[in-house]
Amino acid sequence: MSKKMTIAELNEIYEKANEVDSPLFSEQRSNVLLAAGEHYTKKNSVHWNRVVSNSQLNDEQKLRLTKNHTHRIVHKYVDNIFSMSPGVAILPNNEKEVQDQKTAELNSSVWNHWKKCNDYRDQVRRDIEDFVKIGEVGAKIYFEPHAGELLGYEAEVDELGESKTDESGEELPDKGKPVFQGAIKYERIYGFNLLREATSKDSIFEGKVIYRKMADLKLLKEIYEQDEEKLKCIQTGSGEVYTIFDGQNSSYQQSKDQTMVREYYQPPNYCYPEGYFWITTSIGILEEGPLPFGVFPIIFTGFDDIPTTPRKRSIIKVTRPFQAEINRAASGIATAQICLGDDKLLVMTGSKVTQSSKLPGIRVINYTGMPPQVLPGRSGEQYVSYMQGQIAEMYQAANLDDETADKAVQSTDSVAELLKTAKNKKKYSLYAERMELYQVKKCETVLKLAKAYYDNDMLIPAIGKSEMVNVAEFKNSEPMHYRISLEPSNDDYETKFGKYLTFNTILQYVGNKLEKDDIGKILRVMPYAGNEKIFEDFTVNFDIAQNMILALERGEQPKITPGMDPKYLIQKLSKRMSEADYQALHPFIQQNYDTALQTLKQMEVENMLAIKKAQEELIPATGPLVKCELYVADPENPGKTAKAKMPTDSLVWLQNQLKSQGIELEQLAKIQDGQVSDMARQFLDNVGNQMQPQGPQNPLMPR
């Protein structure tokens, strides 16, 4: 049974959670400023303006310059991790089980549809930016019923609760109560807004996870306008003033029109078997209850681990001291150039320097006494070597020292270039793998919510109308970690090009030995061509076989139509019936397999008999054309005759037919020439115009 908690207990958990990680949250906020080039705080204050403008404050450093190498390092990490395109591929848990294969295919279709609707590539880019800059990336994934496509409006009701109708009897819509289809939403969470319970040591999910965010007071009041008790909590909290971090202005602002909403999420444990959630303000609880369908909505990962704590740190933690020294050296160079940059003229006491007459292009100066000396200005070169050393050490500490070196000339060998790219990406593999696992968690959560909330109208656009019969297969599929494996996949250019080279080599050397259906399956998974409609005919038989086996596995008897290829289907069903787990199926399902197989065999026998009958009634029309001692009307000159041209195989067939009837050529030779001509003319009359020279595309012609 779930343990009830009061608002006082929840507030105490929040205060401790905020206190234990408060220094880390300050660091994460400063990371955002460092990556953006805002390296100095309070730059717009009155004190700072006085220091810059007052010429009497000689002991104070007035110039603070920024050489923002942190920005370049951060974006180098972001670009390289993003170029590896971390994602997921939904694969069957058992490659040999057709049900696993189809379940994986359906889940993959739903996942790809969700990615398309949510601008997945841009979403991943923002995830990686938070991952590198802040050091932590998190999100809340949930089903929002007031999102998606607008379906219509609720019916307008009167004071008695009855629906209002127009003159034709149709219900009047209430424009103030729209009905949406609903959608699975992805809400970005910054690391400093995601708190963990103070007792958590190895993972933030050991205890309650707290997501704090600012909510508009007006919107909250509209949501709970019918609940006076909850409305009091919102109204009481409206008098509070919250300090909000503003990364755009590099400052903190006060907010009076918003209030902080705290969402507590408890993963399933002994006290909360189905998990639990609380949505509160600082005054009271707005919502609470078990997690809907047991789906935990928060996902989280980080850049570098911190021992003894589940929190993570950014690469900026490494570069921060080097960046400070680089800025100090750059400011020293600028200060030296301003204070000592110009050349100075030194004149001994008693000497006098005056301007002389001017000549065209020549400036003349007169002096008396000792000649003046010129003191050269300073450019701050004494700081340059130190600053350059700090820059080099900074890139070395960030494991980017080879990025500053000139790249070698690229090879023309495609395979060599792929190997070189893989070697360069190895240094980012650790962080790319963490982002891949993060995307795996995202995919798992999305598919769990889709199984729980999606209806047929929402699934058909995702899986296609041709898969309508398999909607139940998706809805009733077992949990992903039991039936489907989610594996990281790289869809960047190098990986796609490598797949293309591999498949191209296969088709080049063994393509002529593959069947049409096998080539179609290769084209289906081939990069840049897998989704083209032009290749659908190559996989028609494969798709029919898959759907038929799935229907049999569900206990249904699929309909077998004359347009199917019985030979291919017999091969697929026989292979399935020979697998080890077939004997574990229900006897009723095995009987359906036998019935379907016998039906296909009968269809194949009928097709073979029809072909044999057609072959017996047709004269072969293949082979080279030869002239016979038979004169017919010349098609080019009807007034003349010419020798008839017959296919060689036709003459051989005629000879064999005569032999089968007991008539030998020697017997025909004894017959008079006139009788032979009569027989030939009678044969031509029976054949008519059908005995014409045929090409290889029409191997048979009617008798």
Side-chain angles (χ1 to χ4, degrees), residues 417-544:
E417 284 298 313
L418 289 175
L419 293 175
K420 179 181 177 181
T421 303
K423 181 180 178 181
N424 292 335
K425 288 185 175 181
K426 185 178 179 180
K427 65 176 68 176
Y428 305 102
S429 60
L430 172 64
Y431 305 112
E433 182 179 358
R434 292 192 175 187
M435 283 306 302
E436 286 173 344
L437 294 176
Y438 179 81
Q439 302 305 321
V440 167
K441 296 176 184 176
K442 182 189 299 185
C443 178
E444 290 176 344
T445 307
V446 168
L447 292 180
K448 287 179 182 178
L449 293 173
K451 292 175 186 177
Y453 290 101
Y454 279 9
D455 54 16
N456 291 352
D457 294 335
M458 300 175 72
L459 284 174
I460 295 305
I463 64 177
K465 292 183 179 180
S466 61
E467 298 288 351
M468 291 179 61
V469 296
N470 294 319
V471 170
E473 188 76 23
F474 170 76
K475 299 285 287 187
N476 299 326
S477 59
E478 297 182 14
M480 203 170 307
H481 53 275
Y482 291 142
R483 303 291 292 179
I484 302 174
S485 298
L486 291 173
E487 295 187 357
S489 65
N490 291 331
D491 295 330
D492 57 338
Y493 171 77
E494 291 82 4
T495 304
K496 287 186 176 181
F497 188 59
K499 291 180 180 179
Y500 170 78
L501 291 177
T502 303
F503 287 130
N504 189 43
T505 303
I506 293 174
L507 293 176
Q508 180 180 358
Y509 288 99
V510 298
N512 57 347
K513 299 180 181 179
L514 297 175
E515 297 293 336
K516 179 180 178 182
D517 297 281
D518 297 328
I519 296 176
K521 286 185 283 188
I522 292 178
L523 293 175
R524 173 172 286 184
V525 299
M526 195 169 183
Y528 310 113
N531 295 324
E532 295 294 335
K533 296 294 183 181
I534 193 173
F535 302 119
E536 281 186 344
D537 294 340
F538 285 82
T539 57
V540 169
N541 292 331
F542 175 77
D543 293 335
I544 293 175

Side-chain angles (χ1 to χ4, degrees), residues 280-298:
T280 75
T281 63
S282 60
I283 306 301
I285 299 176
L286 300 178
E287 302 287 346
E288 67 172 308
L291 293 175
F293 300 97
V295 179
F296 193 77
I298 303 297

Side-chain angles (χ1 to χ4, degrees), residues 246-284:
D246 187 356
Q248 179 178 356
N249 299 322
S250 306
S251 62
Y252 293 85
Q253 297 181 356
Q254 304 293 325
S255 175
K256 294 183 179 181
D257 298 329
Q258 295 178 317
T259 187
M260 180 181 292
V261 175
R262 304 165 183 173
E263 300 180 4
Y264 300 77
Y265 294 99
Q266 172 65 56
N269 60 9
Y270 182 79
C271 297
Y272 303 92
E274 299 178 358
Y276 210 81
F277 76 96
W278 299 264
I279 300 178
T280 75
T281 63
S282 60
I283 306 301

Side-chain angles (χ1 to χ4, degrees), residues 140 187-189 193 209-213 261-263:
K140 173 188 173 184
E187 188 172 337
R188 183 182 182 185
I189 301 179
N193 287 331
V209 178
I210 308 169
Y211 170 34
R212 60 183 176 189
K213 62 179 180 180
V261 175
R262 304 165 183 173
E263 300 180 4

Side-chain angles (χ1 to χ4, degrees), residues 201-440:
K201 299 299 181 185
D202 295 329
S203 171
I204 68 169
F205 301 113
E206 289 180 2
K208 296 176 180 60
V209 178
I210 308 169
Y211 170 34
R212 60 183 176 189
K213 62 179 180 180
M214 303 305 298
D216 185 76
L217 283 171
K218 182 179 179 181
L219 179 60
L220 284 178
K221 291 178 181 179
E222 291 178 356
I223 295 175
Y224 295 103
E225 61 182 355
Q226 303 297 331
D227 194 326
E228 295 182 359
E229 293 298 326
K230 295 179 180 179
L231 194 59
K232 290 179 181 179
C233 300
I234 300 172
Q235 290 175 347
T236 305
S238 63
E240 299 178 355
V241 178
Y242 293 93
T243 302
I244 303 175
F245 174 68
D246 187 356
Q248 179 178 356
N249 299 322
S250 306
S251 62
Y252 293 85
Q253 297 181 356
Q254 304 293 325
S255 175
K256 294 183 179 181
D257 298 329
Q258 295 178 317
T259 187
M260 180 181 292
V261 175
R262 304 165 183 173
E263 300 180 4
Y264 300 77
Y265 294 99
Q266 172 65 56
N269 60 9
Y270 182 79
C271 297
Y272 303 92
E274 299 178 358
Y276 210 81
F277 76 96
W278 299 264
I279 300 178
T280 75
T281 63
S282 60
I283 306 301
I285 299 176
L286 300 178
E287 302 287 346
E288 67 172 308
L291 293 175
F293 300 97
V295 179
F296 193 77
I298 303 297
I299 58 176
F300 168 84
T301 191
F303 192 83
D304 277 332
D305 294 328
I306 306 175
T308 71
T309 176
R311 306 306 300 226
K312 315 295 180 180
R313 274 205 169 98
S314 167
I315 186 64
I316 298 179
K317 179 67 175 180
V318 178
T319 63
R320 185 188 296 267
F322 299 100
Q323 183 66 67
E325 286 298 294
I326 294 171
N327 291 345
R328 188 178 68 84
S331 300
I333 293 174
T335 302
Q337 290 177 352
I338 292 176
C339 297
L340 305 172
D342 295 334
D343 292 345
K344 298 173 179 60
L345 191 64
L346 301 181
V347 181
M348 182 176 291
T349 303
S351 298
K352 185 178 180 181
V353 179
T354 60
Q355 185 174 353
S356 180
S357 60
K358 296 180 180 180
L359 299 177
I362 301 176
R363 180 175 297 175
V364 181
I365 297 176
N366 295 328
Y367 69 92
T368 59
M370 293 293 294
Q373 297 180 1
V374 177
L375 178 63
R378 301 296 301 271
S379 62
E381 67 275 4
Q382 68 270 30
Y383 299 103
V384 173
S385 60
Y386 174 75
M387 184 178 68
Q388 291 176 346
Q390 290 296 309
I391 293 174
E393 190 176 357
M394 181 180 182
Y395 280 90
Q396 185 178 5
N399 199 21
L400 293 176
D401 48 319
D402 56 338
E403 297 293 340
T404 57
D406 295 334
K407 295 184 178 180
V409 179
Q410 294 184 352
S411 172
T412 57
D413 187 356
S414 301
V415 178
E417 284 298 313
L418 289 175
L419 293 175
K420 179 181 177 181
T421 303
K423 181 180 178 181
N424 292 335
K425 288 185 175 181
K426 185 178 179 180
K427 65 176 68 176
Y428 305 102
S429 60
L430 172 64
Y431 305 112
E433 182 179 358
R434 292 192 175 187
M435 283 306 302
E436 286 173 344
L437 294 176
Y438 179 81
Q439 302 305 321
V440 167

Side-chain angles (χ1 to χ4, degrees), residues 104-174:
E105 182 180 343
L106 293 173
N107 281 271
S108 182
S109 298
V110 174
W111 168 241
N112 291 331
H113 182 263
W114 183 86
K115 292 197 301 182
K116 180 180 178 181
C117 296
N118 288 270
D119 198 2
Y120 180 74
R121 291 290 293 174
D122 184 65
Q123 184 185 108
V124 172
R125 178 190 58 78
R126 288 185 277 111
D127 290 341
I128 298 174
E129 286 184 351
D130 292 346
F131 177 73
V132 178
K133 294 180 181 180
I134 299 177
E136 294 180 340
V137 55
K140 173 188 173 184
I141 306 175
Y142 63 100
F143 183 81
E144 174 56 62
H146 303 296
E149 183 181 352
L150 178 64
L151 300 180
Y153 298 90
E154 295 183 9
E156 187 176 358
V157 296
D158 54 17
E159 294 80 3
L160 300 177
E162 299 293 336
S163 300
K164 295 182 179 180
T165 58
D166 55 11
E167 297 178 355
S168 61
E170 296 184 358
E171 294 182 344
L172 295 175
D174 188 351

